[in-house]
Amino acid sequence: MVISYDKLWKLLIDKKMNKTELKEQAGITYNILARLGKRQPVNLESLYKICKCLECNIGDIMEFEIE
């Protein structure tokens, strides 16, 4: 099973926000952004911060892809 954060990147484009702005506004680290970019798992607290910042639900920023 692979985690896809493609929805997050599309949402950032729609909101005209870059990754650095997301990092600062959501209060997450560069390491979390790197893990997201590599499709690696991140902790639920980080996902919550991102959702709160973007005013969305977790299903709006990620999904599981069955291999």
Side-chain angles (χ1 to χ4, degrees):
M1 182 167 33
V2 177
I3 302 169
S4 172
Y5 299 105
D6 291 345
K7 290 181 173 184
L8 170 60
W9 310 132
K10 291 175 186 173
L11 187 58
L12 287 180
I13 291 168
D14 292 344
K15 291 188 177 272
K16 296 178 174 53
M17 182 183 286
N18 64 39
K19 292 178 183 180
T20 302
E21 292 169 331
L22 174 66
K23 177 196 142 326
E24 293 169 357
Q25 291 180 24
I28 59 174
T29 66
Y30 281 115
N31 289 341
I32 296 297
L33 279 178
R35 291 182 67 83
L36 293 169
K38 295 176 185 174
R39 298 179 138 203
Q40 295 177 340
V42 298
N43 64 43
L44 194 55
E45 182 180 354
S46 297
L47 294 173
Y48 170 75
K49 288 178 179 180
I50 293 168
C51 288
K52 186 175 178 184
C53 174
L54 298 175
E55 299 178 341
C56 66
N57 290 311
I58 196 165
D60 298 328
I61 63 169
M62 65 169 288
E63 64 186 350
F64 294 105
E65 296 177 352
I66 308 300
E67 296 182 273

